């Protein structure tokens, strides 16, 4: 039986799927990454919006708000929420695909973080540290990547 919190979780999944679904094919078929990336190599939108700390902090605040409003109340009774989720996934193909999509995007994001960290620390980024940062982003889907984007070092100027 779906309760009001499970319905909220389903609403989040339904509203976020059209935004994140096209990213999977793009990440699959994109060309390989370049050796180095500097501020001069990126486009205007990336340089002025996506690399902006204020924008990244706003995304982090939005993710925290989602966790607070959706995940927080769901933790009152995690066992029944988990059972409701399993029921939803087994009965709804859309919920199954959305859950799988979120898992794939989380793994894709975590796999790209070490490369991004290497670009931002060209003086010899520690690969173990980069891998630990990537693994830590998997602990909280979306929120971990948002934290990384908010605190990551800037790209080198040249």
């Amino acid at each position: 039986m779906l309760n009001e919190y499970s319905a909220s979780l389903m609403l989040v999944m339904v509203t976020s799927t059209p935004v994140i679904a096209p990213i999977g094919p793009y990440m699959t078929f994109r060309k390989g990454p370049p050796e180095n990336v500097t501020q001069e190599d990126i486009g205007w939108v990336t340089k002025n919006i996506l690399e902006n700390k204020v924008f990244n902090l706003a995304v982090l605040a939005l993710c925290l708000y989602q966790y607070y409003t959706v995940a927080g109340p769901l933790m009152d009774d995690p066992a029944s929420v988990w059972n409701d989720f399993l029921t939803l996934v087994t009965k709804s193909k859309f919920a199954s695909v959305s859950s799988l999509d979120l898992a794939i995007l989380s793994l894709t994001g975590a796999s790209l973080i070490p490369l991004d960290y290497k670009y931002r620390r060209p003086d010899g980024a520690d690969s173990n540290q980069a891998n630990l940062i990537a693994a830590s982003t998997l602990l909280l889907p979306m929120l971990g990547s948002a934290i990384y984007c908010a605190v990551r070092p800037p790209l080198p100027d040249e």
Side-chain angles (χ1 to χ4, degrees), residues 3-129:
N3 59 29
E4 64 185 67
Y5 299 120
S6 297
S8 296
L9 179 62
M10 185 171 149
L11 178 64
V12 169
M13 290 181 0
V14 166
T15 57
S16 64
T17 299
V19 175
I20 59 177
I23 296 174
Y26 166 75
M27 295 307 297
T28 303
F29 298 112
R30 72 186 181 104
K31 61 182 178 179
E35 283 293 313
N36 310 358
V37 175
T38 63
Q39 288 282 344
E40 298 170 357
D41 298 332
I42 58 179
W44 184 89
V45 171
T46 304
K47 186 185 299 183
N48 295 311
I49 297 174
L50 300 178
E51 287 290 321
N52 187 330
K53 290 295 182 189
V54 174
F55 175 79
N56 287 322
L57 288 172
V59 170
L60 176 59
L62 180 63
C63 286
L64 287 170
Y65 175 75
Q66 281 188 317
Y67 268 85
Y68 175 74
T69 58
V70 176
L74 290 175
M75 291 301 113
D76 290 342
D77 187 14
S80 75
V81 169
W82 183 250
N83 289 332
D84 290 344
F85 175 72
L86 291 177
T87 302
L88 181 66
V89 167
T90 56
K91 296 192 185 243
S92 169
K93 293 177 185 174
F94 187 74
S96 300
V97 169
S98 296
S99 300
L100 183 63
D101 197 25
L102 178 62
I104 290 170
L105 288 172
S106 297
L107 290 170
T108 301
S111 69
L112 294 173
I113 285 176
L115 180 63
D116 182 71
Y117 190 71
K118 182 185 125 203
Y119 287 153
R120 294 170 186 282
R121 305 277 309 263
D123 56 344
D126 182 14
S127 64
N128 288 334
Q129 184 179 14

Side-chain angles (χ1 to χ4, degrees), residues 130-143:
N131 291 335
L132 286 174
I133 292 170
S136 69
T137 62
L138 290 173
L139 296 176
L140 295 170
M142 297 184 300
L143 182 60

